[in-house]
Amino acid sequence: MRLFLPLALLLPAAVSLAAEKPNVIVIMADDLGYGDISVNGATALKTPNIDRLAAEGLRFTSGYCSASTCTPTRYSFLTGNYAFRRKGTGVAPPNGHLVVPPDTFTIADIAKAAGYRTAVIGKWHLGLGLQGKGPDWNGAITPGPREIGFDYNFLLPTTNDRVPQVFVENDRVLNLDPKDPLWVGDKPPAGEHPTGISQRATLKLDWSHGHNGTIHNGISRIGFYTGGKAARFRDEDLADAWAAKSNAWIEAHPTTPFFLFLASHDLHVPRMPHERFQGKSGLGFRGDAILEFDWQVGEVMKTLDRLGLAEKTLVVLCSDNGPVMDDGYKDGALEQRGDHRAGGPFRGGKYSVYEGGTRTPFITRWKGRISPGVSHELVSTIDLAASLAALTGISLPADACTDSFDVSGALLGQPGAKGREHFIQQDNGGTDNFGFRVGDWKLVRYETKFANNEIVEQPLQRTPAPQFQLFDLAKDPGESTDVFAKHPAVGEKMKARLAALVAASRSR
Ligand code: NG6
Ligand code: CA
């Protein structure tokens, strides 16, 4: 009896939870450019699964990640805070500590507060372990995702051009033999240790810059490691691992609402797709990795269809930054690109605050709830936290998600619903270079007076640039004509507004 009463009282809530609150899957690609998918105009290759997602959902023409490198975008997606507000959120090194403080109220905490089960599967690249210590590779690797709201995690701990090539499941290196401990360092170990410099002739994928440390699977990396031989994976098998783990996790409890952050490693370097995708795009391994990513999207959709969950699940497809060709390995991306334009109509790519650095594929699908179409509203991965809170009826603590706006109406394509009014784009860490979009105006601010990777279809460049530039994206989406001198009042106003938003502790 005593048990019966609370259960009976809980029932209506549980029923309405299942009826109202969608499962949420955020599929984040790595270095996928706006123009890399056929639904956004690519013709050199086809992405049928992503195209189907778009045909059944909403495709955004102004969907952004918040930074043009990986770690700051992911930090902001999880926390709803601009990464430039917190030091140490630039690209994380192999032994980096967890850059999200465990007391942060994250998007995973929002999902948990709403009664969801939560998981992150795929590339992490936000550091693990305590500040000053980093990950204890041979012990319990905490704090990590479990300390910031994820019930389950299956990770590539850094990014695959950085060491080590092992999976972390929850807080342990998977399949680690204690008799063969894993050592990770930023200097080579004492004694004979083959690297991309000493054994360059043996590599199956040669490096072009950096990436000449420890060799694993014929590919040299950033950083050094020894041991953990039984735990090491093959680069070619990463996508299969993400698909298998995601499907298994979804299938384990399909009736409890869930939040899954599925972070693919495609198409980050070293691009080493599975053999069944190699050579299939005709654009080299970069194009083949796009096909592999598209396949992963298809696998998730198949699972949702099989379990009858497509009508109960909001799928968000996005990228962590814009495209890059040669990012450190000689994989032929530049030479074999043909007519393919990875950034679509936009200028700049990864590392850039021009549009191509952050304006990336962005698609939402919730069958039966989102009317298929195209949206020109401005939305960003940083808004997913506040939007999820709104969708699930969770009120945000005042000091949480300080730069995340509730754009849930725009994400669901509700008539008249608006996206953001303004948006700050950053490159890596720091408060140097910004893009700032207000309506169709775009201010570019280079404290460094150098633009990074402004022409994606060339080797990485650092080009001298004026400190401030203004573009009218309505007329000039490719940011080719600086109109600051023509519209000084607009430019000055945006300079001041950007400076104020950067100096403030929040924008929400
Ligand atoms: C850069 C690396 C690049 C890539 C990037 C991070 C060199 C020369 N370049 O420092 O290869 O790893 O960091 O990419 O080492 S991200 O998508 O994870 O942010
Ligand atoms: Ca990236």
Side-chain angles (χ1 to χ4, degrees):
M1 256 334 256
R2 284 179 65 208
L3 258 179
F4 181 73
L5 187 64
L7 270 180
L9 283 175
L10 270 174
L11 201 58
V15 167
S16 82
L17 188 84
E20 297 299 321
K21 296 180 180 175
N23 305 311
V24 176
I25 305 181
V26 177
I27 307 176
M28 188 177 277
D30 200 344
D31 301 0
L32 183 72
Y34 187 92
D36 275 327
I37 56 177
S38 37
V39 72
N40 279 357
T43 52
L45 48 70
K46 286 264 167 276
T47 50
N49 294 299
I50 298 171
D51 293 10
R52 187 188 132 203
L53 196 75
E56 296 173 352
L58 205 53
R59 178 174 68 86
F60 288 82
T61 58
S62 283
Y64 291 83
C65 48
S66 53
S68 57
T69 50
C70 176
T71 306
T73 281
R74 287 159 203 261
Y75 170 86
S76 296
F77 157 63
L78 290 182
T79 64
N81 302 324
Y82 278 134
F84 61 77
R85 300 206 193 285
R86 188 173 171 83
K87 276 198 167 55
T89 52
V91 173
N95 269 330
H97 64 269
L98 178 64
V99 299
V100 180
D103 58 358
T104 314
F105 193 66
T106 67
I107 192 168
D109 290 318
I110 293 167
K112 282 214 73 67
Y116 286 48
R117 60 195 187 97
T118 55
V120 49
I121 294 171
K123 163 167 159 172
W124 182 241
H125 206 192
L126 287 158
L128 292 164
L130 290 170
Q131 186 153 12
K133 283 202 172 136
D136 172 6
W137 297 108
N138 300 292
I141 307 175
T142 60
R146 293 212 282 193
E147 283 65 40
I148 57 169
F150 289 101
D151 298 326
Y152 174 73
N153 64 80
F154 184 84
L155 308 176
L156 164 67
T158 60
T159 186
N160 206 25
D161 59 341
R162 287 165 172 73
V163 296
Q165 278 53 60
V166 297
F167 293 120
V168 169
E169 188 168 34
N170 292 325
D171 52 16
R172 296 276 166 175
V173 171
L174 186 68
N175 298 330
L176 184 69
D177 176 358
K179 292 196 288 294
D180 181 28
L182 178 61
W183 172 88
V184 176
D186 54 10
K187 292 198 180 66
E192 188 56 29
H193 182 78
T195 66
I197 294 177
S198 67
Q199 302 289 325
R200 191 164 187 175
T202 69
L203 299 175
K204 76 173 172 194
L205 178 63
D206 196 7
W207 52 274
S208 56
H209 51 261
H211 305 94
N212 50 26
T214 295
I215 301 170
H216 169 69
N217 192 25
I219 303 169
S220 50
R221 323 271 168 162
I222 297 175
F224 303 89
Y225 69 123
T226 58
K229 288 268 166 28
R232 299 188 190 190
F233 56 68
R234 251 176 28 117
D235 306 72
E236 291 86 339
D237 298 327
L238 280 180
D240 284 341
W242 310 144
K245 288 288 171 184
S246 300
N247 292 344
W249 185 80
I250 294 170
E251 283 183 46
H253 304 277
T255 53
T256 314
F258 62 81
F259 171 79
L260 170 63
F261 173 29
L262 169 51
S264 171
H265 189 261
D266 284 318
L267 31 159
H268 198 284
V269 298
R271 299 170 186 129
M272 189 50 63
H274 191 271
E275 285 83 350
R276 68 186 184 278
F277 296 104
Q278 293 184 11
K280 290 289 150 56
S281 69
L283 301 179
F285 280 4
R286 185 178 185 279
D288 300 342
I290 297 174
L291 302 186
E292 183 172 83
F293 175 68
D294 183 69
W295 169 82
Q296 288 167 73
V297 174
E299 287 304 291
V300 173
M301 290 165 76
K302 264 195 237 160
T303 300
L304 294 180
D305 288 341
R306 189 171 62 244
L307 300 174
L309 293 176
E311 265 97 18
K312 296 185 182 133
T313 305
L314 169 63
V315 179
V316 180
L317 182 134
C318 55
S319 179
D320 71 336
N321 53 250
V324 58
M325 294 292 129
D326 179 345
D327 208 14
Y329 293 94
K330 296 183 185 171
D331 60 14
L334 200 52
E335 298 76 6
Q336 296 177 56
R337 71 195 183 284
D339 293 334
H340 182 69
R341 291 294 170 264
F346 304 116
R347 179 177 179 179
K350 183 173 183 174
Y351 312 113
S352 165
V353 294
Y354 291 122
E355 291 292 287
T358 50
R359 205 196 288 205
T360 36
F362 202 112
I363 297 165
T364 57
R365 186 195 75 165
W366 180 2
K367 267 191 160 175
R369 289 295 286 268
I370 295 180
S371 305
V374 177
S375 171
H376 304 300
E377 291 302 319
L378 202 173
V379 297
S380 167
T381 49
I382 199 172
D383 298 322
L384 293 173
S387 302
L388 178 65
L391 268 179
T392 55
I394 298 299
S395 43
L396 290 174
D399 62 349
C401 306
T402 53
D403 299 296
S404 184
F405 291 168
D406 169 19
V407 294
S408 54
L411 293 174
L412 301 187
Q414 283 162 1
K418 290 279 165 219
R420 289 179 153 258
E421 185 250 334
H422 61 82
F423 180 55
I424 302 177
Q425 302 147 289
Q426 71 169 94
D427 49 8
N428 187 10
T431 50
D432 292 338
N433 301 331
F434 293 110
F436 182 42
R437 187 171 162 186
V438 181
D440 283 326
W441 290 111
K442 166 78 181 277
L443 180 80
V444 171
R445 166 176 139 182
Y446 287 125
E447 303 292 277
T448 59
K449 300 195 181 170
F450 280 96
N452 293 321
N453 196 19
E454 64 170 327
I455 306 171
V456 177
E457 315 303 331
Q458 284 181 8
L460 279 181
Q461 338 91 50
R462 207 164 168 260
T463 329
Q467 189 175 7
F468 293 102
Q469 299 169 73
L470 183 70
F471 300 99
D472 179 354
L473 295 178
K475 294 193 191 117
D476 180 23
E479 294 167 291
S480 59
T481 310
D482 175 9
V483 295
F484 199 107
K486 223 170 134 188
H487 299 280
V490 176
E492 291 301 334
K493 204 171 148 196
M494 286 188 66
K495 270 168 68 175
R497 196 165 175 206
L498 173 62
L501 283 167
V502 169
S505 56
R506 59 186 301 142
S507 57
R508 180 170 69 85

